[in-house]
Amino acid sequence: MVRTIHIHNSLTRKKEEFKPIHEGQVGLYVCGPTVYNDVHLGNVRTFMSFDIMYRYLLHSGYKVRYVRNITDVGHLLDDGEDRISRGARLEQLEPMEVVQKYTNRFHAMMDRFNTLRPSIEPRATGHILEQIEMVQAILDKGFAYEKNGSVYFDTIKFAQEKGNYGKLSGRVIEDLQTATRDDLKNQSEKNHPSDFAIWMKADQSHIMKWNSPWSEGFPGWHLECSAMSTKYLGPTFDIHGGGNDLKFPHHENEVAQNVAACSCQPANYWIHTNMLLMNGKKMSKSDGNTISPEELFSGDSPHVSKGYDPMVVKFFMLQTHYSSTLDLSDDALQAAEKGFKKLMDAYKHLQNLDEATATGSTDLDLEINKGIQAAYAAMDDDFSTPKALAQLFELTTKINSLKDGHIKLNELSPEVLDNLKKTMKVFIFDIFGLTNIEDTGSRHLNGVMELIIDLRQSARVNKDWVTADKIRDTLQALNIQLKDGAEGTSWTIN
Ligand code: AMP
Ligand code: ZN
């Protein structure tokens, strides 16, 4: 038996009972990062929100296929340059080196937040054939046209015949007289300003390009998600997610492409997460209004008074529903640090309460069971992590009273104590994916090792082999092994 969950569906703008296409199974697609530089905390918030949903669906008994793509082509900057090509140019690397480097770093960062890896993580460049086939299908259905080697989606024809361009984002086609960001350069080729490129002819200077029936070129950004979700989840699947800044044009165009190619809606439920703000403004790299996760961990930023553990940052994010904006502030992080500690301390105390002493059965049993049910009900209600946390804190108060003897353990039955232990464990570790904080000792050691590795790297750059070797040999004598790789140097204690 799986749990019944209600989801706020951005497509219908209503909270609806979640009914998967196949009983007990969920197909979930989430737009992944564009890997031309490191993720910022706003990106992390979105991926973490979907991680919690994924974890909760799994915990609720669903078999989930979770697909989160890696965007490594076609996502253009305002000046028309591909983000990956820009990264390659700036770092003097092969485009695929940039992709690998930032994919690895993205994984490592999400690991620090203890998020689960998706079931499939497809790359756009690995699915050029599928994208070409989809362009052809849209052309065959008459919803696209070719101009000088580029192919454009015909939004006007689509709106006239399918009547729903703009449904997801609530835009009206007549208002879409401005160009979408991905194809400004080719504005003059389009029949209508709201049309968008699904295949772009590459100019001479463009590095990432492929042969196609129309030109040597590359796919439009929106196309990859349509093609890859169809390939791995089918033409219609259960849930599609992403940050709400992707609603338009990215998701609107995805819907249009899928409907045009196969006359079916891609996803039955769309979930959009809200933005992480800093100083009241959306956190965004292009505006410089950003703090990197590393800066937050180390405290090396004017925005924070000290460093915060990834688990404190995660706890801070869990306190707000994914659909609300969240403003990052030092005060809120300090409060989250206290809250997280209180929860983990209560969990520790709970382990010391002995079922053998819990011999009674009073109203306390009922109260605790009610709290447990309410925590689940909160998660069933559109994954409300703040309400679930509030319930865990009610239970925390009871645990502390039991520990301090204000409530006697013999007022509780062994079954309810056991249930309380299981529930706290499941929520803290399985559903929220929190972990025990790194102790101060290992945090210090991590910092010292980072410094030593930096010093060794500088010595090597300066061809000071004596110092570089001395560092390596001394560490080796302490059983600390350095390993040099494409991502830099890592270390292990043998
Ligand atoms: P990108 O790599 O820019 O495509 O973004 C990856 C994901 O992060 C997308 O789902 C975005 O909607 C999301 N995102 C970007 N900025 C923020 C922010 N400030 N807060 C929350 N999510 C964000
Ligand atoms: Zn996408």
Side-chain angles (χ1 to χ4, degrees):
M1 256 291 281
V2 292
R3 299 187 68 84
T4 303
I5 295 173
H6 284 77
I7 291 179
H8 182 269
N9 188 352
S10 322
L11 195 62
T12 56
R13 295 174 179 75
K14 283 197 201 101
K15 204 183 276 181
E16 295 169 358
E17 183 180 329
F18 174 59
K19 292 193 181 132
I21 297 167
H22 302 290
E23 210 186 317
Q25 295 179 25
V26 181
L28 167 65
Y29 186 94
V30 173
C31 293
T34 309
V35 284
Y36 67 113
N37 58 15
D38 283 321
V39 284
H40 62 64
L41 260 185
N43 307 133
V44 168
R45 181 189 185 202
T46 284
F47 297 128
M48 193 188 288
S49 299
F50 286 106
D51 179 64
I52 302 288
M53 295 178 209
Y54 176 43
R55 284 170 174 274
Y56 193 65
L57 288 166
L58 290 175
H59 178 72
S60 304
Y62 289 100
K63 186 165 181 270
V64 187
R65 181 179 291 169
Y66 172 22
V67 183
R68 188 185 63 203
N69 68 302
I70 294 284
T71 295
D72 60 356
V73 69
H75 194 180
L76 307 187
L77 290 150
D78 285 348
D79 63 4
E81 186 173 13
D82 187 294
R83 282 171 156 79
I84 305 294
S85 303
R86 156 83 70 91
R89 188 164 57 73
L90 294 180
E91 298 197 37
Q92 298 193 326
L93 295 171
E94 269 294 308
M96 284 306 115
E97 254 181 309
V98 171
V99 167
Q100 193 64 57
K101 173 176 172 184
Y102 289 107
T103 302
N104 292 349
R105 290 174 66 90
F106 167 61
H107 287 159
M109 184 49 70
M110 294 318 292
D111 286 351
R112 291 199 72 181
F113 285 104
N114 195 33
T115 60
L116 302 174
R117 300 265 171 105
S119 333
I120 307 177
E121 197 171 43
R123 280 188 191 177
T125 53
H127 297 77
I128 299 293
L129 205 62
E130 287 82 353
Q131 294 178 77
I132 288 175
E133 279 169 7
M134 193 165 229
V135 172
Q136 191 60 59
I138 298 171
L139 274 168
D140 291 346
K141 295 274 169 68
F143 291 111
Y145 53 90
E146 189 205 332
K147 285 255 180 92
N148 305 321
S150 291
V151 181
Y152 296 96
F153 190 94
D154 189 336
T155 51
I156 296 300
K157 180 146 186 248
F158 182 78
Q160 279 163 356
E161 291 186 22
K162 299 286 181 184
N164 57 2
Y165 186 74
K167 184 180 173 199
L168 182 66
S169 57
R171 310 238 175 166
V172 181
I173 189 143
E174 286 74 22
D175 296 341
L176 298 174
Q177 298 300 317
T178 50
T180 57
R181 281 196 308 171
D182 62 356
D183 49 357
L184 278 176
K185 275 206 308 195
N186 301 335
Q187 185 62 13
S188 57
E189 278 177 4
K190 299 196 290 188
N191 287 349
H192 187 273
S194 57
D195 293 351
F196 57 93
I198 50 181
W199 185 265
M200 280 174 263
K201 181 180 176 184
D203 55 33
Q204 278 296 315
S205 63
H206 209 94
I207 329 174
M208 298 166 76
K209 48 193 173 191
W210 292 263
N211 274 325
S212 78
W214 316 286
S215 62
E216 204 181 22
F218 56 95
W221 169 38
H222 318 304
L223 194 68
E224 62 174 273
C225 291
S226 288
M228 295 191 289
S229 63
T230 304
K231 179 169 169 112
Y232 295 110
L233 298 171
T236 300
F237 53 95
D238 296 303
I239 306 174
H240 192 313
N244 68 8
D245 59 336
L246 296 187
K247 253 190 201 174
F248 187 86
H250 186 57
H251 290 160
E252 193 68 62
N253 291 350
E254 257 192 72
V255 173
Q257 290 162 163
N258 284 82
V259 173
C262 75
S263 297
C264 53
Q265 283 287 334
N268 288 335
Y269 302 83
W270 282 80
I271 300 181
H272 284 101
T273 54
N274 215 326
M275 295 292 106
L276 181 69
L277 314 178
M278 198 161 66
N279 307 317
K281 267 179 58 205
K282 178 188 166 189
M283 189 173 284
S284 141
K285 260 177 264 180
S286 46
D287 295 349
N289 187 40
T290 177
I291 179 167
S292 72
E294 284 94 349
E295 285 167 340
L296 196 49
F297 303 156
S298 67
D300 185 14
S301 158
H303 299 292
V304 285
S305 60
K306 65 193 211 58
Y308 294 95
D309 189 273
M311 288 303 120
V312 169
V313 180
K314 185 170 197 173
F315 183 89
F316 159 73
M317 292 187 180
L318 291 173
Q319 288 174 309
T320 300
H321 192 253
Y322 73 81
S323 64
S324 303
T325 53
L326 171 61
D327 212 331
L328 187 88
S329 75
D330 195 51
D331 285 351
L333 284 162
Q334 291 203 18
E337 193 168 54
K338 288 201 187 93
F340 177 69
K341 184 171 180 320
K342 190 170 166 195
L343 182 68
M344 297 310 260
D345 283 349
Y347 179 75
K348 241 187 274 163
H349 300 319
L350 181 61
Q351 305 316 305
N352 298 327
L353 302 180
D354 186 359
E355 274 82 355
T357 325
T359 50
S361 178
T362 65
D363 283 354
L364 186 60
D365 272 5
L366 294 179
E367 279 175 41
I368 289 181
N369 276 339
K370 232 168 98 187
I372 291 172
Q373 277 163 19
Y376 276 105
M379 289 303 289
D380 291 340
D381 182 14
D382 200 20
F383 309 101
S384 181
T385 54
K387 286 196 188 142
L389 266 182
Q391 290 303 329
L392 295 198
F393 273 102
E394 295 277 331
L395 295 170
T396 292
T397 307
K398 298 246 174 345
I399 295 166
N400 288 338
S401 297
L402 285 163
K403 179 196 103 190
D404 297 338
H406 300 315
I407 308 177
K408 296 277 172 279
L409 197 52
N410 62 13
E411 289 179 37
L412 203 62
S413 69
E415 294 78 27
V416 172
L417 178 58
D418 183 50
N419 194 12
L420 179 60
K421 283 184 180 174
K422 280 196 189 118
T423 305
M424 291 297 279
K425 181 168 183 284
V426 160
F427 266 88
I428 295 174
F429 300 105
D430 299 349
I431 297 175
F432 293 153
L434 293 164
T435 58
N436 287 312
I437 225 158
E438 287 173 22
D439 61 47
T440 324
S442 55
R443 200 175 318 148
H444 284 166
L445 180 60
N446 285 337
V448 171
M449 283 307 297
E450 236 169 75
L451 176 70
I452 292 177
I453 288 169
D454 268 1
L455 291 174
R456 175 169 167 264
Q457 186 53 24
S458 310
R460 292 168 93 191
V461 169
N462 296 330
K463 300 201 179 349
D464 176 2
W465 307 118
V466 176
T467 306
D469 288 350
K470 185 174 173 196
I471 291 174
R472 194 199 52 216
D473 296 345
T474 312
L475 290 174
Q476 219 157 30
L478 292 166
N479 284 338
I480 299 175
Q481 208 72 43
L482 294 183
K483 196 162 166 257
D484 297 311
E487 297 317 304
T489 305
S490 59
W491 60 278
T492 47
I493 301 180
N494 294 325

